[in-house]
Amino acid sequence: MMQDDKKHELLISAIDYLKVQYAMGQSPCLALVISRHYRLLAESCVENNNKTNYVNQASSWFGCYLKKAKPLTEAEMQIYSGVYGA
């Protein structure tokens, strides 16, 4: 359990750092990494309220990525919609 707590703390710290970096440059790659980190938190979370929040954050940041990134091909959209439920 302690190992999971440490991973959780590290992911939260990484997300906080990446958000600061994103605010400075709004790189689509950073938005995607933030989204993936939230997805990892959601997958490892057992508490439903936190899990829902992490899934929502992941989806929101993935939306930021899509707005800033180059247009996706139809195949890419199908892949991402399956993974992120967008």
Side-chain angles (χ1 to χ4, degrees):
M1 187 67 171
M2 187 64 147
Q3 186 82 13
D4 289 342
D5 289 345
K6 192 69 168 170
K7 287 179 185 177
H8 181 87
E9 289 176 29
L10 287 172
L11 278 171
I12 294 291
S13 293
I15 289 169
D16 289 344
Y17 175 78
L18 291 168
K19 284 180 176 179
V20 170
Q21 297 304 308
Y22 182 82
M24 289 192 270
Q26 298 197 351
S27 164
C29 293
L30 286 175
L32 184 59
V33 172
I34 294 167
S35 175
R36 287 179 176 168
H37 282 18
Y38 273 119
R39 180 62 59 179
L40 288 171
L41 284 172
E43 289 172 1
S44 66
C45 188
V46 291
E47 190 178 315
N48 280 339
N49 286 342
N50 285 342
K51 185 175 199 128
T52 301
N53 178 48
Y54 295 146
V55 168
N56 290 340
Q57 288 290 332
S59 295
S60 176
W61 281 100
F62 187 69
C64 291
Y65 164 74
L66 290 177
K67 283 185 221 161
K68 301 281 182 185
K70 67 176 180 57
L72 297 177
T73 66
E74 184 64 32
E76 288 172 321
M77 281 304 290
Q78 289 176 353
I79 291 168
Y80 290 130
S81 67
V83 172
Y84 290 98

Coordinates of all heavy atoms in Angstrom, one line a residue:
M1 N 0.8 -1.2 0.0 CA 0.0 0.0 0.0 C 0.9 1.3 0.0 O 0.6 2.2 -0.7 CB -0.9 0.0 1.2 CG -1.9 1.1 1.2 SD -3.1 0.9 -0.2 CE -4.3 2.1 0.2
M2 N 2.0 1.2 0.8 CA 2.9 2.4 0.8 C 3.4 2.7 -0.6 O 3.5 3.8 -0.9 CB 4.0 2.1 1.8 CG 4.8 3.3 2.1 SD 3.9 4.6 2.8 CE 5.1 5.3 3.9
Q3 N 3.7 1.6 -1.3 CA 4.3 1.8 -2.7 C 3.3 2.6 -3.5 O 3.6 3.5 -4.3 CB 4.6 0.4 -3.3 CG 5.3 0.5 -4.6 CD 6.8 0.7 -4.5 OE1 7.3 0.6 -3.4 NE2 7.4 1.0 -5.6
D4 N 2.0 2.2 -3.5 CA 0.9 2.8 -4.2 C 0.8 4.3 -3.8 O 0.6 5.2 -4.7 CB -0.4 2.1 -4.1 CG -0.4 0.8 -4.8 OD1 0.5 0.5 -5.7 OD2 -1.3 -0.1 -4.5
D5 N 0.8 4.6 -2.5 CA 0.8 5.9 -2.0 C 1.9 6.8 -2.6 O 1.7 7.9 -3.0 CB 0.8 6.0 -0.5 CG -0.5 5.5 0.1 OD1 -1.5 5.3 -0.6 OD2 -0.5 5.2 1.3
K6 N 3.1 6.2 -2.7 CA 4.2 7.0 -3.2 C 4.0 7.2 -4.7 O 4.3 8.3 -5.1 CB 5.5 6.1 -2.9 CG 6.8 6.9 -3.2 CD 6.9 8.0 -2.1 CE 8.3 8.6 -2.2 NZ 8.4 9.7 -1.4
K7 N 3.6 6.2 -5.4 CA 3.3 6.4 -6.9 C 2.3 7.5 -7.1 O 2.4 8.4 -8.0 CB 2.8 5.1 -7.5 CG 3.9 4.1 -7.7 CD 3.3 2.9 -8.3 CE 4.4 1.8 -8.4 NZ 3.8 0.5 -8.9
H8 N 1.2 7.5 -6.2 CA 0.1 8.5 -6.3 C 0.7 9.9 -6.1 O 0.4 10.8 -6.9 CB -0.9 8.2 -5.3 CG -2.1 9.1 -5.3 ND1 -3.2 8.9 -6.1 CD2 -2.3 10.2 -4.6 CE1 -4.0 9.9 -6.0 NE2 -3.5 10.7 -5.0
E9 N 1.5 10.0 -5.0 CA 2.1 11.3 -4.7 C 3.0 11.8 -5.9 O 3.0 13.0 -6.2 CB 2.9 11.2 -3.4 CG 2.1 11.1 -2.2 CD 3.0 10.9 -1.0 OE1 4.1 11.4 -0.9 OE2 2.5 10.3 0.0
L10 N 3.8 10.9 -6.4 CA 4.7 11.3 -7.5 C 3.9 11.7 -8.8 O 4.3 12.7 -9.4 CB 5.6 10.1 -7.9 CG 6.7 9.8 -6.9 CD1 7.4 8.5 -7.2 CD2 7.7 11.0 -6.8
L11 N 2.8 11.0 -9.1 CA 2.0 11.4 -10.2 C 1.4 12.8 -10.0 O 1.4 13.6 -10.9 CB 0.9 10.4 -10.5 CG 1.3 9.2 -11.3 CD1 0.2 8.1 -11.3 CD2 1.7 9.5 -12.7
I12 N 0.9 13.0 -8.8 CA 0.3 14.3 -8.5 C 1.3 15.4 -8.6 O 1.1 16.5 -9.2 CB -0.3 14.3 -7.1 CG1 -1.5 13.4 -7.0 CG2 -0.7 15.7 -6.6 CD1 -2.7 13.8 -7.8
S13 N 2.5 15.2 -8.1 CA 3.6 16.2 -8.2 C 4.0 16.4 -9.6 O 4.2 17.6 -10.1 CB 4.9 15.7 -7.4 OG 4.6 15.7 -6.1
A14 N 4.1 15.3 -10.4 CA 4.4 15.5 -11.8 C 3.4 16.3 -12.6 O 3.7 17.2 -13.4 CB 4.6 14.1 -12.5
I15 N 2.1 16.0 -12.3 CA 1.0 16.8 -12.9 C 1.1 18.2 -12.6 O 1.0 19.1 -13.4 CB -0.4 16.2 -12.5 CG1 -0.6 14.8 -13.2 CG2 -1.5 17.1 -12.9 CD1 -1.7 14.0 -12.7
D16 N 1.3 18.5 -11.3 CA 1.4 19.9 -10.9 C 2.5 20.6 -11.6 O 2.4 21.8 -12.1 CB 1.6 20.0 -9.4 CG 0.4 19.6 -8.6 OD1 -0.7 19.6 -9.1 OD2 0.6 19.4 -7.4
Y17 N 3.7 20.0 -11.7 CA 4.8 20.6 -12.5 C 4.5 20.8 -13.9 O 4.8 21.8 -14.5 CB 6.0 19.7 -12.3 CG 7.2 20.1 -13.1 CD1 8.0 21.2 -12.7 CD2 7.5 19.5 -14.3 CE1 9.1 21.6 -13.5 CE2 8.6 20.0 -15.1 CZ 9.4 21.0 -14.7 OH 10.4 21.5 -15.4
L18 N 3.9 19.8 -14.6 CA 3.6 19.8 -16.0 C 2.5 20.9 -16.3 O 2.6 21.6 -17.3 CB 3.1 18.5 -16.5 CG 4.1 17.4 -16.6 CD1 3.5 16.0 -16.8 CD2 5.2 17.7 -17.6
K19 N 1.6 21.1 -15.3 CA 0.6 22.2 -15.5 C 1.3 23.6 -15.5 O 0.9 24.4 -16.3 CB -0.4 22.2 -14.4 CG -1.5 21.1 -14.5 CD -2.4 21.1 -13.4 CE -3.5 20.1 -13.5 NZ -4.4 20.2 -12.3
V20 N 2.3 23.8 -14.7 CA 3.0 25.0 -14.7 C 3.7 25.2 -16.0 O 3.7 26.3 -16.6 CB 4.0 25.1 -13.5 CG1 4.9 26.3 -13.6 CG2 3.3 25.1 -12.2
Q21 N 4.4 24.1 -16.5 CA 5.0 24.2 -17.8 C 4.1 24.5 -18.9 O 4.3 25.2 -19.8 CB 5.8 22.9 -18.0 CG 6.9 22.6 -17.1 CD 7.9 23.7 -17.0 OE1 8.5 24.2 -18.0 NE2 8.2 24.2 -15.8
Y22 N 2.9 23.8 -18.9 CA 1.9 24.0 -19.9 C 1.4 25.5 -19.9 O 1.2 26.1 -21.0 CB 0.7 23.1 -19.7 CG -0.4 23.2 -20.7 CD1 -0.2 22.6 -22.0 CD2 -1.5 24.0 -20.5 CE1 -1.2 22.7 -22.9 CE2 -2.4 24.2 -21.5 CZ -2.3 23.5 -22.7 OH -3.2 23.7 -23.7
A23 N 1.2 26.1 -18.7 CA 0.8 27.5 -18.6 C 1.7 28.4 -19.3 O 1.3 29.4 -19.9 CB 0.6 27.8 -17.2
M24 N 3.0 28.1 -19.3 CA 4.0 28.9 -20.0 C 4.0 28.8 -21.5 O 4.3 29.8 -22.2 CB 5.4 28.6 -19.4 CG 5.5 29.1 -17.9 SD 7.2 29.1 -17.4 CE 7.3 27.4 -16.7
G25 N 3.7 27.6 -22.0 CA 3.9 27.4 -23.4 C 2.7 26.8 -24.2 O 2.7 26.8 -25.4
Q26 N 1.8 26.2 -23.4 CA 0.7 25.5 -24.0 C 1.0 24.5 -25.1 O 0.4 24.5 -26.2 CB -0.4 26.5 -24.4 CG -0.9 27.3 -23.3 CD -2.2 28.1 -23.6 OE1 -2.6 28.1 -24.7 NE2 -2.8 28.7 -22.6
S27 N 2.0 23.7 -24.9 CA 2.4 22.6 -25.8 C 1.4 21.5 -25.8 O 1.0 21.0 -24.7 CB 3.8 22.1 -25.4 OG 4.0 20.9 -26.1
P28 N 0.9 21.1 -27.0 CA 0.0 20.0 -27.0 C 0.6 18.7 -26.4 O -0.1 17.9 -25.8 CB -0.3 19.8 -28.5 CG 0.6 20.6 -29.3 CD 1.2 21.6 -28.3
C29 N 1.9 18.5 -26.6 CA 2.5 17.3 -26.0 C 2.4 17.3 -24.5 O 2.2 16.2 -23.9 CB 4.0 17.3 -26.4 SG 4.2 17.0 -28.1
L30 N 2.5 18.5 -23.8 CA 2.4 18.5 -22.4 C 1.0 18.2 -22.0 O 0.7 17.5 -21.0 CB 2.8 19.9 -21.8 CG 4.3 20.2 -21.8 CD1 4.6 21.6 -21.4 CD2 5.0 19.2 -20.9
A31 N 0.0 18.7 -22.7 CA -1.4 18.4 -22.4 C -1.7 16.9 -22.5 O -2.4 16.3 -21.7 CB -2.3 19.2 -23.4
L32 N -1.1 16.3 -23.5 CA -1.2 14.8 -23.7 C -0.6 14.1 -22.5 O -1.2 13.1 -22.0 CB -0.6 14.4 -25.0 CG -0.8 12.9 -25.4 CD1 -2.3 12.5 -25.4 CD2 -0.2 12.6 -26.7
V33 N 0.6 14.5 -22.1 CA 1.2 13.8 -20.9 C 0.4 14.0 -19.7 O 0.2 13.0 -18.9 CB 2.7 14.3 -20.8 CG1 3.3 13.8 -19.5 CG2 3.5 13.9 -22.0
I34 N -0.1 15.2 -19.4 CA -1.0 15.4 -18.3 C -2.2 14.5 -18.3 O -2.6 13.9 -17.3 CB -1.4 16.9 -18.2 CG1 -0.1 17.8 -17.9 CG2 -2.4 17.2 -17.1 CD1 -0.4 19.3 -18.1
S35 N -2.8 14.4 -19.5 CA -4.0 13.6 -19.6 C -3.6 12.1 -19.3 O -4.3 11.4 -18.6 CB -4.5 13.7 -21.1 OG -5.5 12.8 -21.3
R36 N -2.5 11.7 -19.8 CA -2.1 10.3 -19.5 C -1.8 10.1 -18.0 O -2.1 9.0 -17.5 CB -0.8 9.9 -20.4 CG -1.1 9.8 -21.8 CD 0.1 9.4 -22.6 NE -0.3 9.2 -24.0 CZ 0.6 9.1 -25.0 NH1 1.9 9.3 -24.7 NH2 0.2 8.9 -26.2
H37 N -1.2 11.0 -17.4 CA -0.9 10.9 -15.9 C -2.2 10.8 -15.2 O -2.4 10.0 -14.2 CB -0.1 12.1 -15.4 CG 1.4 12.0 -15.8 ND1 1.9 11.2 -16.7 CD2 2.4 12.6 -15.2 CE1 3.2 11.3 -16.8 NE2 3.6 12.2 -15.8
Y38 N -3.2 11.6 -15.6 CA -4.5 11.6 -14.9 C -5.2 10.2 -15.2 O -5.8 9.6 -14.3 CB -5.5 12.7 -15.3 CG -5.3 13.9 -14.5 CD1 -4.9 15.1 -15.1 CD2 -5.6 13.9 -13.2 CE1 -4.8 16.3 -14.4 CE2 -5.5 15.1 -12.4 CZ -5.1 16.3 -13.0 OH -5.0 17.4 -12.3
R39 N -5.0 9.7 -16.4 CA -5.5 8.4 -16.7 C -4.9 7.3 -15.8 O -5.6 6.4 -15.3 CB -5.3 8.0 -18.2 CG -5.8 6.7 -18.7 CD -7.3 6.5 -18.5 NE -8.0 7.6 -19.3 CZ -9.3 7.6 -19.4 NH1 -10.1 6.7 -18.8 NH2 -9.9 8.6 -20.1
L40 N -3.6 7.4 -15.6 CA -2.9 6.4 -14.7 C -3.5 6.5 -13.3 O -3.7 5.5 -12.6 CB -1.4 6.7 -14.7 CG -0.6 6.3 -15.9 CD1 0.8 6.8 -15.8 CD2 -0.6 4.8 -16.1
L41 N -3.7 7.8 -12.8 CA -4.3 7.9 -11.5 C -5.7 7.3 -11.4 O -6.0 6.6 -10.4 CB -4.4 9.4 -11.1 CG -3.1 10.1 -10.7 CD1 -3.4 11.6 -10.6 CD2 -2.6 9.6 -9.4
A42 N -6.5 7.5 -12.4 CA -7.8 6.9 -12.5 C -7.8 5.4 -12.4 O -8.5 4.7 -11.7 CB -8.6 7.4 -13.7
E43 N -6.8 4.8 -13.2 CA -6.7 3.4 -13.3 C -6.3 2.7 -11.9 O -6.6 1.6 -11.6 CB -5.8 2.9 -14.4 CG -6.3 3.2 -15.8 CD -5.3 3.0 -16.9 OE1 -4.2 2.6 -16.6 OE2 -5.7 3.2 -18.0
S44 N -5.5 3.5 -11.2 CA -5.0 2.9 -9.9 C -5.9 3.3 -8.7 O -5.6 2.9 -7.6 CB -3.6 3.4 -9.7 OG -3.5 4.8 -9.5
C45 N -6.9 4.1 -8.9 CA -7.7 4.6 -7.8 C -8.9 3.7 -7.5 O -9.6 3.2 -8.5 CB -8.3 6.0 -8.2 SG -9.1 6.9 -6.9
V46 N -9.1 3.5 -6.3 CA -10.2 2.6 -5.9 C -11.5 3.4 -5.4 O -12.6 2.9 -5.5 CB -9.8 1.6 -4.7 CG1 -8.9 0.6 -5.2 CG2 -9.3 2.4 -3.5
E47 N -11.2 4.7 -5.0 CA -12.3 5.5 -4.5 C -13.1 6.1 -5.7 O -12.4 6.8 -6.5 CB -11.8 6.6 -3.6 CG -12.9 7.4 -2.9 CD -12.3 8.4 -1.9 OE1 -11.3 8.1 -1.2 OE2 -12.8 9.5 -2.0
N48 N -14.4 5.9 -5.9 CA -15.1 6.3 -7.0 C -15.1 7.8 -7.3 O -15.0 8.2 -8.4 CB -16.5 5.8 -7.0 CG -16.6 4.3 -7.4 OD1 -15.8 3.8 -8.1 ND2 -17.7 3.7 -7.0
N49 N -15.2 8.6 -6.2 CA -15.2 10.1 -6.4 C -13.9 10.6 -7.0 O -13.9 11.4 -8.0 CB -15.5 10.8 -5.1 CG -16.9 10.7 -4.6 OD1 -17.8 10.4 -5.4 ND2 -17.2 10.9 -3.4
N50 N -12.8 10.1 -6.5 CA -11.5 10.5 -7.0 C -11.3 9.9 -8.5 O -10.8 10.6 -9.3 CB -10.4 10.0 -6.2 CG -10.2 10.8 -4.9 OD1 -10.7 11.9 -4.8 ND2 -9.6 10.3 -3.9
K51 N -11.8 8.7 -8.7 CA -11.6 8.1 -10.0 C -12.4 8.9 -11.0 O -11.8 9.2 -12.1 CB -12.1 6.6 -9.9 CG -11.9 5.9 -11.2 CD -12.4 4.4 -11.0 CE -11.7 3.6 -12.1 NZ -11.0 2.4 -11.6
T52 N -13.6 9.3 -10.7 CA -14.4 10.1 -11.6 C -13.7 11.4 -11.9 O -13.6 11.9 -13.1 CB -15.8 10.3 -11.1 OG1 -16.4 9.1 -10.9 CG2 -16.7 11.2 -12.0
N53 N -13.2 12.0 -10.9 CA -12.5 13.3 -11.1 C -11.3 13.1 -12.0 O -11.0 13.9 -12.9 CB -12.0 13.9 -9.7 CG -11.2 15.2 -9.9 OD1 -11.6 16.1 -10.6 ND2 -10.1 15.2 -9.2
Y54 N -10.5 12.1 -11.8 CA -9.3 11.8 -12.6 C -9.7 11.5 -14.0 O -9.0 12.0 -15.0 CB -8.5 10.7 -12.0 CG -7.9 11.0 -10.7 CD1 -7.7 10.0 -9.7 CD2 -7.4 12.3 -10.3 CE1 -7.1 10.2 -8.5 CE2 -6.9 12.5 -9.1 CZ -6.7 11.5 -8.2 OH -6.2 11.8 -6.9
V55 N -10.7 10.8 -14.3 CA -11.2 10.5 -15.6 C -11.6 11.8 -16.3 O -11.3 12.1 -17.5 CB -12.3 9.5 -15.6 CG1 -13.0 9.4 -17.0 CG2 -11.8 8.1 -15.2
N56 N -12.4 12.7 -15.6 CA -12.8 13.9 -16.1 C -11.6 14.8 -16.5 O -11.6 15.5 -17.5 CB -13.7 14.7 -15.2 CG -15.1 14.0 -15.1 OD1 -15.5 13.2 -15.9 ND2 -15.8 14.2 -14.0
Q57 N -10.6 14.9 -15.6 CA -9.4 15.6 -15.8 C -8.7 15.1 -17.0 O -8.2 15.9 -17.9 CB -8.5 15.6 -14.6 CG -9.0 16.4 -13.4 CD -8.9 17.9 -13.7 OE1 -8.1 18.4 -14.5 NE2 -9.8 18.7 -13.1
A58 N -8.6 13.8 -17.1 CA -7.9 13.2 -18.3 C -8.6 13.6 -19.6 O -7.9 14.0 -20.6 CB -7.8 11.6 -18.1
S59 N -9.9 13.5 -19.6 CA -10.7 13.9 -20.8 C -10.5 15.4 -21.1 O -10.3 15.7 -22.3 CB -12.1 13.6 -20.6 OG -12.3 12.2 -20.5
S60 N -10.5 16.2 -20.1 CA -10.4 17.6 -20.3 C -9.0 18.0 -20.9 O -8.9 18.7 -21.9 CB -10.6 18.4 -19.0 OG -10.3 19.7 -19.1
W61 N -8.0 17.4 -20.3 CA -6.6 17.6 -20.9 C -6.4 17.0 -22.2 O -5.7 17.6 -23.1 CB -5.5 17.1 -19.9 CG -5.4 18.1 -18.8 CD1 -5.9 18.1 -17.5 CD2 -4.6 19.4 -18.8 NE1 -5.5 19.2 -16.8 CE2 -4.8 20.0 -17.6 CE3 -3.9 20.0 -19.8 CZ2 -4.2 21.2 -17.3 CZ3 -3.3 21.2 -19.5 CH2 -3.4 21.8 -18.2
F62 N -7.1 15.9 -22.5 CA -7.0 15.3 -23.8 C -7.7 16.3 -24.8 O -7.2 16.5 -26.0 CB -7.6 14.0 -23.9 CG -7.4 13.3 -25.2 CD1 -6.1 12.9 -25.6 CD2 -8.5 13.1 -26.1 CE1 -5.9 12.2 -26.8 CE2 -8.3 12.4 -27.3 CZ -7.0 12.0 -27.7
G63 N -8.8 16.9 -24.4 CA -9.4 17.9 -25.2 C -8.5 19.1 -25.5 O -8.5 19.6 -26.7
C64 N -7.7 19.5 -24.5 CA -6.7 20.6 -24.8 C -5.7 20.2 -25.8 O -5.3 20.9 -26.7 CB -6.0 21.0 -23.5 SG -7.0 21.8 -22.3
Y65 N -5.3 18.9 -25.7 CA -4.3 18.4 -26.7 C -4.9 18.4 -28.1 O -4.2 18.9 -29.0 CB -3.9 16.9 -26.3 CG -3.3 16.2 -27.4 CD1 -2.0 16.4 -27.8 CD2 -4.0 15.2 -28.1 CE1 -1.4 15.7 -28.8 CE2 -3.4 14.5 -29.2 CZ -2.1 14.8 -29.5 OH -1.5 14.1 -30.6
L66 N -6.1 17.9 -28.2 CA -6.8 17.9 -29.5 C -6.9 19.3 -30.1 O -6.7 19.5 -31.4 CB -8.1 17.2 -29.5 CG -8.2 15.7 -29.2 CD1 -9.6 15.2 -29.1 CD2 -7.4 15.0 -30.3
K67 N -7.2 20.3 -29.3 CA -7.4 21.7 -29.8 C -6.1 22.2 -30.3 O -6.0 23.0 -31.3 CB -7.9 22.6 -28.7 CG -9.4 22.4 -28.5 CD -9.9 23.4 -27.5 CE -10.8 22.8 -26.5 NZ -11.1 23.5 -25.3
K68 N -5.0 21.9 -29.7 CA -3.6 22.5 -30.0 C -2.9 21.6 -31.0 O -2.0 22.2 -31.7 CB -2.8 22.6 -28.7 CG -3.4 23.4 -27.7 CD -3.2 24.9 -28.0 CE -3.8 25.8 -26.8 NZ -3.7 27.2 -27.1
A69 N -3.2 20.3 -31.1 CA -2.4 19.5 -32.0 C -2.8 19.6 -33.4 O -3.8 20.1 -33.7 CB -2.5 18.0 -31.5
K70 N -2.0 19.0 -34.3 CA -2.3 18.9 -35.7 C -3.6 18.1 -35.8 O -3.9 17.3 -35.0 CB -1.2 18.3 -36.5 CG -1.0 16.8 -36.2 CD 0.1 16.2 -37.1 CE 0.3 14.8 -36.8 NZ -0.9 13.9 -36.9
P71 N -4.4 18.4 -36.9 CA -5.6 17.6 -37.1 C -5.3 16.1 -37.2 O -4.3 15.7 -37.8 CB -6.1 18.1 -38.4 CG -5.5 19.4 -38.6 CD -4.2 19.4 -37.9
L72 N -6.1 15.3 -36.5 CA -5.9 13.8 -36.5 C -6.6 13.2 -37.7 O -7.6 13.7 -38.3 CB -6.6 13.2 -35.3 CG -6.0 13.7 -33.9 CD1 -6.8 13.0 -32.8 CD2 -4.5 13.3 -33.8
T73 N -6.0 12.1 -38.2 CA -6.6 11.3 -39.2 C -7.8 10.6 -38.6 O -8.0 10.5 -37.4 CB -5.6 10.3 -39.8 OG1 -5.3 9.3 -38.8 CG2 -4.3 10.9 -40.3
E74 N -8.6 10.0 -39.5 CA -9.8 9.3 -39.1 C -9.4 8.1 -38.2 O -10.0 7.8 -37.2 CB -10.6 8.8 -40.3 CG -11.9 8.1 -39.9 CD -12.9 9.0 -39.2 OE1 -13.0 10.2 -39.4 OE2 -13.7 8.5 -38.3
A75 N -8.3 7.4 -38.6 CA -7.9 6.2 -37.9 C -7.4 6.6 -36.5 O -7.7 5.9 -35.5 CB -6.7 5.5 -38.6
E76 N -6.7 7.8 -36.3 CA -6.2 8.2 -35.0 C -7.4 8.6 -34.1 O -7.4 8.3 -33.0 CB -5.3 9.5 -35.2 CG -4.0 9.1 -35.8 CD -3.1 10.4 -36.1 OE1 -3.7 11.4 -36.6 OE2 -1.9 10.4 -35.9
M77 N -8.4 9.2 -34.7 CA -9.6 9.6 -33.9 C -10.3 8.3 -33.3 O -10.7 8.3 -32.2 CB -10.6 10.4 -34.7 CG -10.3 11.8 -34.9 SD -10.1 12.7 -33.3 CE -11.7 12.7 -32.7
Q78 N -10.4 7.3 -34.2 CA -11.0 6.0 -33.7 C -10.2 5.4 -32.5 O -10.7 4.9 -31.6 CB -11.1 5.0 -34.8 CG -12.2 5.4 -35.8 CD -12.2 4.5 -37.0 OE1 -11.4 3.6 -37.2 NE2 -13.2 4.7 -37.9
I79 N -8.8 5.4 -32.7 CA -8.0 4.9 -31.6 C -8.2 5.7 -30.3 O -8.4 5.1 -29.3 CB -6.5 4.9 -32.0 CG1 -6.2 3.9 -33.2 CG2 -5.6 4.7 -30.9 CD1 -4.9 4.1 -33.9
Y80 N -8.1 7.0 -30.4 CA -8.2 7.9 -29.2 C -9.6 7.8 -28.6 O -9.8 7.8 -27.4 CB -7.8 9.3 -29.5 CG -6.3 9.4 -29.8 CD1 -5.9 10.1 -30.9 CD2 -5.4 8.9 -28.9 CE1 -4.5 10.2 -31.1 CE2 -4.0 9.0 -29.1 CZ -3.6 9.7 -30.2 OH -2.3 9.8 -30.4
S81 N -10.6 7.7 -29.4 CA -12.0 7.7 -28.9 C -12.2 6.4 -28.1 O -12.9 6.4 -27.1 CB -13.1 7.8 -30.0 OG -13.0 6.7 -30.8
G82 N -11.6 5.3 -28.5 CA -11.6 4.1 -27.8 C -10.9 4.1 -26.5 O -11.4 3.6 -25.4
V83 N -9.8 4.8 -26.4 CA -8.9 4.9 -25.2 C -9.5 5.9 -24.2 O -9.5 5.6 -23.0 CB -7.5 5.2 -25.6 CG1 -6.7 5.5 -24.3 CG2 -6.9 4.2 -26.4
Y84 N -9.9 7.0 -24.7 CA -10.3 8.1 -23.8 C -11.8 8.3 -23.7 O -12.3 9.2 -23.0 CB -9.7 9.4 -24.3 CG -8.2 9.4 -24.0 CD1 -7.3 9.1 -25.0 CD2 -7.7 9.7 -22.8 CE1 -5.9 9.1 -24.8 CE2 -6.3 9.7 -22.5 CZ -5.5 9.4 -23.5 OH -4.1 9.3 -23.3
G85 N -12.6 7.6 -24.5 CA -14.0 7.7 -24.5 C -14.5 9.1 -25.0 O -15.5 9.6 -24.6
A86 N -13.7 9.7 -25.9 CA -14.0 11.1 -26.4 C -15.1 11.0 -27.5 O -15.2 10.0 -28.1 CB -12.8 11.8 -26.9

